[in-house]
Amino acid sequence: MDPLLDSANEAIYALRTTAPGPSGALPLEPNQLRHMSSGDLFGLTQNAGMGWNPAALRGKQFLILSTQGGIRAPDGTPIALGYHTGHWEVGLLMEEAARTFSAAGAIPFAGYVSDPCDGRTNGTAGMLDSLAYRNDAAVVLRRLIRSLPTRRGVLGVATCDKGLPAMLMALAGTPDLPTILVPGGVTLLAEEAEDTGKIQTLATRFARDEVTFDYAIEQGCKACGSPGGGCQFMGTAATSQVVAEGLGLSLTHGALSPSGAEIWRDLARRSAKALLELEEKQITTRDILTDDAVHNAMVVHAAFGGSTNLVLHVPAIAHDAGLRRPTVDDWTRINRAVPRLVDVLPNGPKHYATVQVFLAGGVPEVMLHLRDAGLLKLDARTVTGRPLGENLAWWEKSERRRRLREKLHALDGVDPDNVIMSPARARERGLTSTITFLRGNLAPEGALVKSTAIAPELVGADGIYRHEGPARVFTSEATAIGALKAARVQPGEVIVLIGIGPGSGMPETYQITSALKYTKDGQRIALLTDGRFSGVSTGACIGHVSPEAWAGGPIARVRDGDRVRLVIDTRALEGSIDVIGIAPAEFNARPQHPSLRPDPRVPADTRLWAALQNASGGTWAGCVYDTDRIARLLELGLAAEAKDAGT
């Protein structure tokens, strides 16, 4: 017998075509049944068919959505792996929330839209789908919400780089229901191991003979201290958790909790209770997600030194909520006003892990300093049902705050005030503001740099980073990382990586930026690209250069050996990136780089995303889909096409 065509297992023939079906009766009155839609009726029938007690079918229905991935056995061992640790355990949070709903007489439903891992896809063709996935997932999540017409509220559970922004976009696009976000937490540090950011550079360091083979394979195995949670650094995953709490969509001190711990499970239970209260009080997303909420989120982002990717995600969340999207001027204004207060990977100076930031007090601890500096909108309502100011007043005197800060000192010997600092202490420690937006003849529409992550020794006493050197132009990430591994790029040079902007899916280039951080003299090599970075990137890495190469931007005209000058004022948060020593007319007359070719691996789905987001305002507008504008442009195009056909 061919085992692929048939089985020798006799049990497969124990079959039946009928079964008794659930006992009991639907809890309906005659008048209810007379006026019910067929969908509502069939929904109750299916609920009973799935095993819910028919007598309890009239309870309020709440939808739990998550980015869960993989298949875990009850003891936690893997049956099928997820894409990343961030979504590996979030099903446990769903269970806690679901049991809380049930205990309150409500009926929980659950749905899933899993998410990719940016770390897993870095340097591969998978990264070409990463940013585009965010919009797709947000659309599907919103469709799932609308496809349960009887839901009374939505609880979202998410953790990582694209799944969490997508979940926030979906909740933002649900203004008439109460919603709440449960951040999926972070993974623990592994003992005597490199962090999950640094280990991603092992291949480059080994290729350059900077680590041994045995060291690389051991460290590569042991970096994750726990099986669940987002990464240990303030990358896009952790920053998105922080921003969710800043928006008021998560409970106080919800971001960055250690995955798998009881305090993490407790958050899910309390979040479910909070959603029940919001529904009872008829407080919806529209009441919470306001312009003031977006302001608070941006202030918190700046104080944490968060990922530059949130410059893409926060406008998208605002757009889906029907709010004004923050502009470059808004980001600049807030980053000038808000000091960075958190010492966390990858920014430093001491590089504490995200779980240590949680124990030091997390978002509300940072907000206490921001409150005292007059930087927050304290009347903004949150999912506690109370304004932000009341939440912070509770936190300041809470036993939770005292005990967790003491726990950090007891476990790690760390003073929590050295992790989350007062503005005065932050100034003393040399912490600088987070994001600088740049202009210049290579970025007439703008570019950005995480200026807080530039090595302090490269910044002058006046707070200005200056670098001038010859360009090394690469038209693919693979050729650039190959040159770094072979040490063919020298300190003082400027890597100009082009052709990976929106038309290519705008992949992040962490394998390049991490190599520059952890390889010998890599910090003295600058990077300029029309792509984007991982939130854990450091150094003089300038991204989002606009217009990008595929849109005819001047970055496509740079050649090897051109002198590039970078000036980044980390205090005034302004600067420039320019080609120098070439007459403007001569430079502008150049064609695009001869090696610039479309990447054949870019899927049609991503090309469609690129076209739609470009029609909607592009990267600075959040890479969103502006339906009205897209429809208008299509109508104009069709009208022009019809006119041409008629002539």
Side-chain angles (χ1 to χ4, degrees), residues 399-429:
E399 181 183 9
R400 180 185 179 100
R401 179 193 184 210
R402 177 185 62 79
R403 292 185 64 178
L404 290 178
R405 285 165 59 84
E406 289 175 354
K407 178 70 73 172
L408 176 60
H409 194 274
L411 289 174
D412 298 338
V414 171
D415 181 349
D417 290 331
N418 287 334
V419 181
I420 297 173
M421 306 177 210
S422 67
R425 180 173 293 196
R427 282 194 300 272
E428 291 171 5
R429 300 289 169 87

Side-chain angles (χ1 to χ4, degrees), residues 273-313:
K273 291 177 181 177
L275 187 62
L276 289 166
E277 287 195 14
L278 290 173
E279 192 276 335
E280 188 69 27
K281 296 175 181 177
Q282 297 185 323
I283 298 173
T284 70
T285 308
R286 180 181 284 107
D287 300 313
I288 294 168
L289 200 48
T290 62
D291 289 328
D292 283 355
V294 173
H295 167 88
N296 287 341
M298 294 171 70
V299 168
V300 168
H301 173 274
F304 269 84
S307 165
T308 56
N309 280 321
L310 273 294
V311 175
L312 298 172
H313 300 322

Side-chain angles (χ1 to χ4, degrees), residues 18-43:
T18 63
S23 59
L26 297 181
L28 296 173
E29 299 295 331
N31 197 47
Q32 286 179 300
L33 180 59
R34 182 175 293 111
H35 296 288
M36 285 187 87
S37 69
S38 64
D40 287 346
L41 174 62
F42 190 49

Side-chain angles (χ1 to χ4, degrees), residues 159-431:
T159 306
C160 283
D161 293 33
K162 300 304 178 300
L164 181 44
M167 187 69 75
L168 288 171
M169 290 167 66
L171 299 182
T174 310
D176 297 323
L177 287 175
T179 65
I180 194 166
L181 189 284
V182 181
V186 298
T187 190
L188 302 181
L189 286 169
E191 297 169 357
E192 299 180 2
E194 295 184 357
D195 65 78
T196 50
K198 187 174 182 179
I199 62 104
Q200 294 180 57
T201 70
L202 284 168
T204 298
R205 285 183 285 151
F206 175 67
R208 294 168 63 100
D209 296 323
E210 295 176 13
V211 296
T212 67
F213 177 72
D214 288 343
Y215 176 88
I217 59 176
E218 179 185 358
Q219 289 293 316
C221 181
K222 67 188 297 186
C224 297
S226 56
C231 288
Q232 304 142 342
F233 44 78
M234 190 54 59
T236 305
T239 306
S240 297
Q241 295 187 40
V242 164
V243 162
E245 189 172 336
L247 287 168
L249 286 175
S250 295
L251 287 180
T252 304
H253 200 230
L256 312 180
S257 58
S259 184
E262 181 58 26
I263 198 169
W264 174 82
R265 292 172 178 267
D266 177 72
L267 173 64
R269 294 191 288 266
R270 289 187 294 109
S271 296
K273 291 177 181 177
L275 187 62
L276 289 166
E277 287 195 14
L278 290 173
E279 192 276 335
E280 188 69 27
K281 296 175 181 177
Q282 297 185 323
I283 298 173
T284 70
T285 308
R286 180 181 284 107
D287 300 313
I288 294 168
L289 200 48
T290 62
D291 289 328
D292 283 355
V294 173
H295 167 88
N296 287 341
M298 294 171 70
V299 168
V300 168
H301 173 274
F304 269 84
S307 165
T308 56
N309 280 321
L310 273 294
V311 175
L312 298 172
H313 300 322
V314 171
I317 295 164
H319 172 264
D320 284 358
L323 303 172
R324 188 184 74 85
R325 282 177 273 183
T327 65
V328 168
D329 290 341
D330 295 321
W331 286 102
T332 301
R333 171 177 49 81
I334 285 175
N335 276 267
R336 282 176 177 157
V338 179
R340 179 167 67 95
L341 303 177
V342 183
D343 183 348
V344 61
L345 285 163
N347 299 332
K350 294 296 185 182
H351 301 97
Y352 296 106
T354 44
V355 67
Q356 293 171 312
V357 175
F358 175 79
L359 292 175
V363 173
E365 190 69 22
V366 172
M367 280 185 158
L368 289 181
H369 296 298
L370 298 172
R371 177 200 65 183
D372 294 345
L375 293 167
L376 293 171
K377 306 289 187 181
L378 297 175
D379 291 333
R381 186 179 277 181
T382 70
V383 289
T384 64
R386 307 177 186 95
L388 175 62
E390 287 188 23
N391 294 344
L392 295 181
W394 163 79
W395 171 260
E396 191 169 20
K397 295 179 171 55
S398 69
E399 181 183 9
R400 180 185 179 100
R401 179 193 184 210
R402 177 185 62 79
R403 292 185 64 178
L404 290 178
R405 285 165 59 84
E406 289 175 354
K407 178 70 73 172
L408 176 60
H409 194 274
L411 289 174
D412 298 338
V414 171
D415 181 349
D417 290 331
N418 287 334
V419 181
I420 297 173
M421 306 177 210
S422 67
R425 180 173 293 196
R427 282 194 300 272
E428 291 171 5
R429 300 289 169 87
L431 274 66

Side-chain angles (χ1 to χ4, degrees), residues 4-72:
L4 296 181
L5 298 177
D6 204 353
S7 171
N9 181 5
E10 280 295 317
I12 68 173
Y13 297 107
L15 299 167
R16 60 190 301 174
T17 59
T18 63
S23 59
L26 297 181
L28 296 173
E29 299 295 331
N31 197 47
Q32 286 179 300
L33 180 59
R34 182 175 293 111
H35 296 288
M36 285 187 87
S37 69
S38 64
D40 287 346
L41 174 62
F42 190 49
L44 293 176
T45 300
Q46 291 188 97
N47 296 345
M50 287 183 278
W52 206 264
N53 178 3
L57 284 177
R58 297 305 289 175
K60 293 179 179 179
Q61 299 179 2
F62 289 85
L63 175 59
I64 307 169
L65 291 174
S66 92
T67 55
Q68 178 179 336
I71 304 173
R72 298 172 72 259

